[in-house]
Amino acid sequence: EEVTLLAIKRGTGPRISVNAPVGGAVWVVGTQQTVSWTSQNVTGNVNIRLSTDGGSSFPIVLSSNTPNDGTEAITVPNNTATACRVRVEWVTTTDIFGTNAGNFSIANVSITVTTPPAGANWPVASQQTVQWSSQNLTGNVNIKLSIDGGTSYPITLASNTPNDGTEAITVPNNPATTCRVRVESAANPTIFSTNPGNFSIIAASITVTTPPA
């Protein structure tokens, strides 16, 4: 141990430097992310741990006894925080470790559909607007329609459209009084939101007023 400590002081001993994640990054819960690091004179495997308190403690194991090959894909756990750090430590001597350069965040991804409101009436073939907001969602979205109160969404109103919060659509010929709209991630449809309540799609009609009967 004395030899190891002397080697560290001389700069020739084992060391680990964590390159990713970078400070300020945002990791979304459930996504795949990569931890990368370099090492010197570290043989054998490493552990990868997560801190949510700025590095005061590292209780969460992201990967255990994994090869010291400089990179590891991990699934982001549901531990949301704004002061996260990652530590890569030598399995043989856990006092030999490196942490990433700065705090990063772990956040949930969410979508909130605001329009159409519950009780709205959409005439068939009219132009209407779907509006939504999202948090930490990257990539495009799909917009789908249900006519059975949200049990199923078989009708696509817009496919792979930009996640810009608004989309003009043409109301399809599917009259119903229990319609719902869902906005979902195009990459991961399990991330979605529906509008606040049922609305109606109204069939087009023509009323002849003249000549009188």
Side-chain angles (χ1 to χ4, degrees):
E1 184 176 354
E2 290 179 359
V3 174
T4 300
L5 291 174
L6 181 59
I8 292 172
K9 290 179 181 178
R10 290 177 176 175
T12 60
R15 63 176 61 183
I16 299 172
S17 299
V18 180
N19 304 316
V22 297
V26 177
W27 280 4
V28 174
V29 171
T31 62
Q32 291 287 303
Q33 301 291 338
T34 300
V35 177
S36 64
W37 68 95
T38 57
S39 65
Q40 174 183 309
N41 298 322
V42 175
T43 58
N45 294 345
V46 297
N47 300 319
I48 303 174
R49 295 179 176 270
L50 173 69
S51 168
T52 58
D53 56 11
S56 296
S57 63
F58 288 83
I60 303 162
V61 176
L62 299 178
S63 185
S64 178
N65 205 33
T66 191
N68 179 31
D69 55 9
T71 184
E72 182 77 4
I74 61 94
T75 300
V76 180
N78 189 13
N79 298 92
T80 57
T82 58
C84 299
R85 303 289 289 270
V86 161
R87 180 170 77 183
V88 178
E89 64 184 23
W90 192 10
V91 170
T92 303
T93 306
T94 56
D95 287 341
I96 305 298
F97 62 86
T99 60
N100 70 299
N103 290 344
F104 67 98
S105 298
I106 292 178
N108 282 305
V109 62
S110 65
I111 303 172
T112 303
V113 181
T114 54
T115 303
N121 292 313
W122 279 7
V124 168
S126 66
Q127 288 289 303
Q128 301 291 336
T129 301
V130 177
Q131 294 179 312
W132 70 96
S133 61
S134 66
Q135 180 180 3
N136 301 314
L137 180 68
T138 59
N140 292 346
V141 297
N142 301 321
I143 303 174
K144 296 190 174 184
L145 174 68
S146 169
I147 55 174
D148 57 11
T151 300
S152 63
Y153 287 83
I155 303 162
T156 299
L157 300 178
S159 178
N160 205 34
T161 192
N163 178 32
D164 55 10
T166 184
E167 183 75 10
I169 61 96
T170 300
V171 179
N173 189 15
N174 298 94
T177 58
T178 53
C179 299
R180 301 292 290 269
V181 161
R182 180 170 76 183
V183 178
E184 65 185 24
S185 166
N188 184 1
T190 63
I191 300 172
F192 66 88
S193 176
T194 61
N195 72 298
N198 290 345
F199 67 98
S200 297
I201 291 178
I202 303 169
S205 63
I206 299 174
T207 302
V208 178
T209 58
T210 57

